[in-house]
Amino acid sequence: MAKQDEQTVGKVHTGFCAFVQDLPSNPSSEKLKDLILAFCGVKDLGFDVSTKDYIYGAVEYYKGNVREGDKKTPCALGDS
Amino acid sequence: MTLTNSGKDWLARNAGVNNCFASSGVSYKDLEGNSHTGSTTDVAAMLVVASLLGYPYTTKEIVNGKSYEDFVKANGYDLDIEDVKTVCELQEATTPYCAAVATPTTTPTVTPTPTTKCEWFSDHIPMMSADIMDLVRAYLDIIDLGWDVSAADIMGAVAYYLGDKDRGNEFTGCSL
């Protein structure tokens, strides 16, 4: 399935992908923590973390596994 | 999704303020070793991050010198993403969750004991089986240790022999 264009999916993907785009090069567990808090509705990051897959994908980005992260999220960091 | 009472107590004691869940004032470290101050929920979420990343992140210090592995030992189960919401609810409750306070054990009233007896016990620590036999002989009036040996003294000696000084002291009335 082709990756969704961030511009067409509204704040959900645009915000999320921008948030995680530097995780592969600059791993931050604080960012992962904030995604979990947002998923639980505890913190507002300005975008929705609608499924756990977003978190699992971000974890892959953190580990430098960009392709695996892209599989779990609507982002296409591997294409950039 | 399993956050046990032991896990909650661990969080309250290690990631709380005055043994209670707190919305601020909790010092913790992220997995890169940077220090932060936040809430009990922040710590719970960081613990989940460590779990998701796996070893060796599970061994890194997060709060109060303790790691995710330390938490799991207390909780008995892994911490899930959904558990973070539970922690937040307990933290934001009208009365935030607090760790159970250990009930102090009743200290038995110790009757003052002749020094000679306690000196004898003190001189025979670590207790040997031959010492216990001497106590039995003294109890049976076969030998004289210089003080009257009671059955409780023998039981205390056995406790000392087993390495349980507190129990031994309860029986003998001494403070070894």
Side-chain angles (χ1 to χ4, degrees):
Chain A
M1 186 179 78
K3 287 289 179 183
Q4 292 174 292
D5 182 346
E6 282 196 317
Q7 296 302 318
T8 65
V9 293
K11 73 169 189 173
V12 174
H13 301 150
T14 300
F16 173 78
C17 294
F19 187 80
V20 299
Q21 66 182 357
D22 64 342
L23 275 180
S25 59
N26 187 21
S28 166
S29 53
E30 268 290 285
K31 280 198 169 184
L32 298 181
K33 181 210 76 177
D34 285 343
L35 286 172
I36 290 171
L37 293 178
F39 175 80
C40 292
V42 176
K43 188 165 191 169
D44 183 5
L45 294 177
F47 56 85
D48 293 329
V49 181
S50 52
T51 75
K52 285 193 221 175
D53 278 344
Y54 283 34
I55 296 168
Y56 298 143
V59 166
E60 294 298 336
Y61 291 139
Y62 180 98
K63 292 178 173 176
N65 302 327
V66 176
R67 284 180 182 275
E68 288 302 312
D70 284 351
K71 286 179 186 175
K72 292 179 167 63
T73 71
C75 310
L77 304 190
D79 294 344
S80 57
Chain B
M1 186 166 91
T2 307
L3 178 59
T4 64
N5 285 336
S6 295
K8 292 174 193 171
D9 286 352
W10 188 97
L11 284 171
R13 292 192 177 107
N14 292 289
V17 175
N18 295 329
N19 291 333
C20 295
F21 285 18
S23 57
S24 63
V26 179
S27 297
Y28 69 95
K29 287 186 177 179
D30 63 28
L31 300 176
E32 293 80 47
N34 304 307
S35 295
H36 303 272
T37 302
S39 65
T40 304
T41 306
D42 284 316
V43 174
M46 189 58 74
L47 289 168
V48 172
V49 171
S51 172
L52 293 174
L53 290 171
Y55 182 85
Y57 298 97
T58 50
T59 64
K60 289 188 180 292
E61 174 190 341
I62 293 177
V63 66
N64 198 25
K66 299 185 188 308
S67 67
Y68 177 73
E69 286 190 354
D70 293 319
F71 168 81
V72 172
K73 282 178 190 170
N75 190 51
Y77 298 91
D78 279 309
L79 194 64
D80 292 335
I81 292 171
E82 287 85 353
D83 291 324
V84 175
K85 191 172 184 179
T86 303
V87 172
C88 184
E89 289 168 353
L90 291 168
Q91 171 190 297
E92 298 302 325
T94 307
T95 305
Y97 182 88
C98 295
V101 178
T103 306
T105 53
T106 306
T107 307
T109 304
V110 178
T111 307
T113 310
T115 306
T116 310
K117 170 176 141 180
C118 294
E119 282 177 353
W120 186 92
F121 277 113
S122 180
D123 291 340
H124 290 79
I125 291 291
M127 189 67 56
M128 310 295 283
S129 56
D131 299 322
I132 299 174
M133 290 181 68
D134 283 343
L135 288 170
V136 173
R137 288 194 191 100
Y139 180 71
L140 298 173
D141 290 323
I142 297 171
I143 63 172
D144 183 12
L145 294 178
W147 50 280
D148 290 330
V149 176
S150 68
D153 293 327
I154 296 170
M155 293 171 74
V158 172
Y160 292 139
Y161 177 80
L162 296 173
D164 191 344
K165 276 191 177 178
D166 291 339
R167 189 89 173 132
N169 288 341
E170 282 181 26
F171 280 116
T172 64
C174 298
S175 301
L176 303 188

